[in-house]
Amino acid sequence: MLELKNIYKYYNPGTVNELCLFKGFSLNVEKGEFLSVVGSNGSGKTSMLNIICGSIPVESGSILLEGKDITNMKEFRRNEKIGRVYQNPALGTCPSMTILENMSLADNKGKRYGLKRGVNKNRVEYYQELLRPLNLGLEDKMHVKVGSLSGGQRQAMALLMSTMTPIEFLILDEHTAALDPKTAEIIMELTDKIVREKKLTTIMVTHNLRYAVEYGSRLLMMHQGESVIDCSGEEKKNMNIDDILKKFNEISIECGN
């Protein structure tokens, strides 16, 4: 499904601050997998997501999606097949536009607009039916500007909007980190529901170790651009928070902390 092959990524090349984050990094994600990714700051989690989405280039190596080489494909082209939800709820929606306008934009992702209205009034009931299962009352606020919604409401919308059109891959970049615990639980339950119903291949970066253990079919722990834990199946089911913390402590001791 997704392949990262022999990836090299340098930051600040040619300067005294040059850093080689990925040195021959490779990763395969099978179709339908839900991969939870953990790791300390600077381990390469978000950089890996940015490389997959095309937000940053690589020095060498290749990225394949469904067998097609997308290494040099522009980010907006990749976005036709990849949905992404960010840590900041403000990044997934347009605050100055209404719920209806935001939903309409998401509904037309990858399509040509031409000289026609951006909002199709015939789709309003469809959007309301999509919003109703969220149990956040958004279906009755179609003409309310998204900027006036709570962070949880906006993140729920961002998650829904990112999966409205047919996509092959869902990227979740610490999408519950900016939310209060109760709202984060709601968003995680919604995430799991959408991933299962749409059978989406998913990568979720998270700092919440419980979410990493409880959700997903595979767990990856990264450190300095390398994979230090990679488990799935029964091994993933038997993994617990203490196992991850033990590895964190081992790494901390090795680094002299």
Side-chain angles (χ1 to χ4, degrees), residues 120-186:
N120 184 348
K121 293 183 178 179
N122 295 327
R123 299 284 281 175
V124 173
E125 289 188 10
Y126 169 67
Y127 300 151
Q128 289 176 317
E129 288 304 310
L130 288 179
L131 292 167
R132 190 166 286 112
L134 302 181
N135 295 316
L136 296 172
L138 297 176
E139 66 275 11
D140 298 321
K141 300 178 179 179
M142 299 300 290
H143 298 289
V144 172
K145 289 189 176 182
V146 171
S148 66
L149 303 179
S150 69
Q153 289 174 318
R154 293 181 70 171
Q155 199 67 318
M157 272 196 64
L159 180 59
L160 187 63
M161 288 165 56
S162 69
T163 57
M164 279 179 66
T165 54
I167 58 173
E168 296 175 358
F169 214 86
L170 178 62
I171 297 290
L172 305 169
D173 189 0
E174 298 185 43
H175 71 308
T176 63
L179 307 175
D180 63 82
K182 182 179 179 180
T183 305
E185 293 291 339
I186 293 172

Side-chain angles (χ1 to χ4, degrees), residues 133 160 190-200:
L160 187 63
L190 174 62
T191 299
D192 193 51
K193 180 174 181 289
I194 289 176
V195 168
R196 289 178 183 274
E197 288 181 352
K198 294 182 178 286
K199 297 180 173 60
L200 295 173

Side-chain angles (χ1 to χ4, degrees), residues 109-123:
K109 177 182 174 182
K111 301 175 185 177
R112 292 184 181 274
Y113 273 90
L115 297 175
K116 63 180 181 180
R117 290 183 178 274
V119 175
N120 184 348
K121 293 183 178 179
N122 295 327
R123 299 284 281 175

Side-chain angles (χ1 to χ4, degrees), residues 8-257:
Y8 281 76
K9 177 59 189 175
Y10 288 85
Y11 286 99
N12 306 311
T15 72
V16 293
N17 296 316
E18 180 176 305
L19 169 67
C20 181
L21 178 58
F22 291 119
K23 188 176 182 180
F25 178 75
S26 296
L27 176 71
N28 287 353
V29 181
E30 298 297 328
K31 189 176 183 67
E33 273 193 325
F34 185 163
L35 177 62
S36 297
V37 183
V38 298
S40 57
N41 291 334
S43 61
K45 305 184 302 299
T46 296
S47 289
M48 179 180 69
L49 299 187
N50 286 332
I51 286 171
I52 293 170
C53 293
S55 304
I56 59 175
V58 295
E59 272 60 55
S60 63
S62 57
I63 306 148
L64 282 75
L65 185 62
E66 289 285 359
K68 180 180 180 180
D69 192 329
I70 63 169
T71 310
N72 298 313
M73 183 182 287
K74 297 292 185 181
E75 183 176 10
F76 75 94
R77 289 296 183 196
R78 299 190 200 189
N79 287 343
E80 294 177 6
K81 296 296 183 181
I82 299 176
R84 186 171 184 174
V85 184
Y86 297 85
Q87 177 178 337
N88 184 352
L91 295 180
T93 54
C94 182
S96 62
M97 300 174 71
T98 66
I99 291 177
L100 175 57
E101 290 166 339
N102 272 268
M103 297 287 282
S104 296
L105 279 176
D107 197 14
N108 285 281
K109 177 182 174 182
K111 301 175 185 177
R112 292 184 181 274
Y113 273 90
L115 297 175
K116 63 180 181 180
R117 290 183 178 274
V119 175
N120 184 348
K121 293 183 178 179
N122 295 327
R123 299 284 281 175
V124 173
E125 289 188 10
Y126 169 67
Y127 300 151
Q128 289 176 317
E129 288 304 310
L130 288 179
L131 292 167
R132 190 166 286 112
L134 302 181
N135 295 316
L136 296 172
L138 297 176
E139 66 275 11
D140 298 321
K141 300 178 179 179
M142 299 300 290
H143 298 289
V144 172
K145 289 189 176 182
V146 171
S148 66
L149 303 179
S150 69
Q153 289 174 318
R154 293 181 70 171
Q155 199 67 318
M157 272 196 64
L159 180 59
L160 187 63
M161 288 165 56
S162 69
T163 57
M164 279 179 66
T165 54
I167 58 173
E168 296 175 358
F169 214 86
L170 178 62
I171 297 290
L172 305 169
D173 189 0
E174 298 185 43
H175 71 308
T176 63
L179 307 175
D180 63 82
K182 182 179 179 180
T183 305
E185 293 291 339
I186 293 172
I187 296 300
M188 275 308 309
E189 290 173 5
L190 174 62
T191 299
D192 193 51
K193 180 174 181 289
I194 289 176
V195 168
R196 289 178 183 274
E197 288 181 352
K198 294 182 178 286
K199 297 180 173 60
L200 295 173
T201 306
T202 305
I203 294 182
M204 176 181 73
V205 166
T206 179
H207 280 297
N208 189 310
L209 300 186
R210 181 170 65 82
Y211 291 165
V213 169
E214 291 183 4
Y215 293 94
S217 57
R218 181 178 169 191
L219 188 148
L220 184 74
M221 181 175 175
M222 299 184 67
H223 176 63
Q224 295 182 347
E226 296 181 353
S227 169
V228 293
I229 293 179
D230 188 351
C231 62
S232 57
E234 287 300 314
E235 187 180 3
K236 165 69 166 61
K237 290 180 181 178
N238 295 327
M239 179 72 68
N240 58 53
I241 294 175
D242 288 339
D243 295 328
I244 303 176
L245 287 174
K246 181 181 178 182
K247 191 64 178 179
F248 268 118
N249 289 334
E250 290 176 358
I251 290 171
S252 180
I253 292 172
E254 288 175 5
C255 294
N257 296 326

